Amino acid sequence: MFKVAICDDEPVFLRAHEKMVHQILREEEIPHTTERYTSGHSLEKQIRRYDLVLMDIRLNGEDGFLFIEKLRNEGIQTAVIFCTSTQSYSLRGYGVYPVHYLVKPIEAGDMRKAILRAHTQVKGWKTVRLFHKDGAAVIALGDILYMEYLGRVTLVHTRDQTYTVSASLHKVWQDYFSDARFVQCHKSFIVSLRSMKNIQRQGILLQNDEQ
């Protein structure tokens, strides 16, 4: 499920952008949900629920760029598409690594390119066919949280379930995931950089608050 939040203080753009997102993802047959927000403050408490945020930079009393910058400093890597009425913020906005930068009114073709680019980045069209003890599964690299070597098997933990592979951690990493954004933080653990929320003295805290 591709979860999208749309944050804008102008109702006309909220409705228009949500409609465009729905149409694009339906046409691409991508399961999805969307929710609307009128401020960064209202979105902040829910931000971890989403894969993508369409963020207006100029909100009433708020700076959308500073809002995203704050999240990045906290380790939150939710994908962002900036939507605003001026190009003057474009260079500034790219400092927080947005997927795209769109100027209102947004053309449908431009929105499509941005949304599909975001989906590719978040979910990844790239998948691996993982052979595990119960058979085989096709897994999107973006869904993997971490890998753990335990009792002579490697556990591959994803958003939805855990797969048991009868091989060493190093072999699983080299055979399946060596080109992805993973880091070995311990002899028994390899973690997806995207799933990391914070690094603590006791270990790594994941985005799902698992340590």
Side-chain angles (χ1 to χ4, degrees), residues 118-180:
H119 184 267
T120 300
Q121 176 178 307
V122 173
K123 296 294 185 179
W125 293 126
K126 183 171 183 180
T127 59
V128 294
R129 186 173 179 83
L130 181 70
F131 293 91
H132 54 93
K133 72 170 187 176
D134 296 318
V138 176
I139 305 173
L141 293 181
D143 285 341
I144 297 170
L145 300 176
Y146 67 98
M147 291 167 274
E148 173 186 10
Y149 189 63
L150 183 67
R152 296 186 178 182
V153 297
T154 295
L155 305 179
V156 179
H157 301 273
T158 72
R159 290 183 175 189
D160 302 317
Q161 66 185 94
T162 298
Y163 300 92
T164 301
V165 182
S166 299
S168 69
L169 182 66
H170 179 74
K171 182 171 177 56
V172 172
W173 187 16
Q174 292 299 315
D175 288 353
Y176 295 106
F177 311 114
S178 60
D179 62 341

Side-chain angles (χ1 to χ4, degrees), residues 6-8 17 53-58 80-86 100-104 106 111:
I6 303 165
C7 187
D8 201 303
H17 295 167
V53 175
L54 271 68
M55 189 80 195
D56 186 18
I57 290 181
R58 302 183 67 178
V80 176
I81 295 173
F82 282 126
C83 306
T84 189
S85 57
T86 176
H100 215 299
Y101 189 97
L102 299 174
V103 178
K104 303 174 185 177
I106 301 170
M111 178 69 87

Side-chain angles (χ1 to χ4, degrees), residues 66-83:
L66 291 180
F67 171 73
I68 297 299
E69 186 176 51
K70 176 177 179 289
L71 298 181
R72 292 290 187 259
N73 290 336
E74 294 174 356
I76 298 173
Q77 299 300 318
T78 301
V80 176
I81 295 173
F82 282 126
C83 306

Side-chain angles (χ1 to χ4, degrees), residues 19-123:
K19 182 178 180 180
M20 294 171 76
V21 170
H22 273 310
Q23 182 175 348
I24 291 164
L25 295 176
R26 278 200 302 264
E27 289 175 356
E28 296 294 327
E29 299 183 346
I30 297 173
H32 66 279
T33 61
T34 63
E35 290 189 52
R36 293 182 280 179
Y37 295 85
T38 56
S39 70
H41 178 74
S42 61
L43 171 61
E44 184 171 9
K45 295 180 181 178
Q46 306 295 329
I47 188 69
R48 298 185 192 281
R49 297 171 50 192
Y50 301 105
D51 297 301
L52 170 67
V53 175
L54 271 68
M55 189 80 195
D56 186 18
I57 290 181
R58 302 183 67 178
L59 297 163
N60 282 331
E62 294 181 284
D63 184 319
F65 167 73
L66 291 180
F67 171 73
I68 297 299
E69 186 176 51
K70 176 177 179 289
L71 298 181
R72 292 290 187 259
N73 290 336
E74 294 174 356
I76 298 173
Q77 299 300 318
T78 301
V80 176
I81 295 173
F82 282 126
C83 306
T84 189
S85 57
T86 176
Q87 293 182 336
S88 62
Y89 289 98
S90 59
L91 292 178
R92 181 186 177 209
Y94 279 111
V96 293
Y97 312 109
V99 174
H100 215 299
Y101 189 97
L102 299 174
V103 178
K104 303 174 185 177
I106 301 170
E107 297 289 336
D110 293 336
M111 178 69 87
R112 173 178 291 276
K113 290 177 183 177
I115 292 296
L116 296 183
R117 180 182 296 176
H119 184 267
T120 300
Q121 176 178 307
V122 173
K123 296 294 185 179

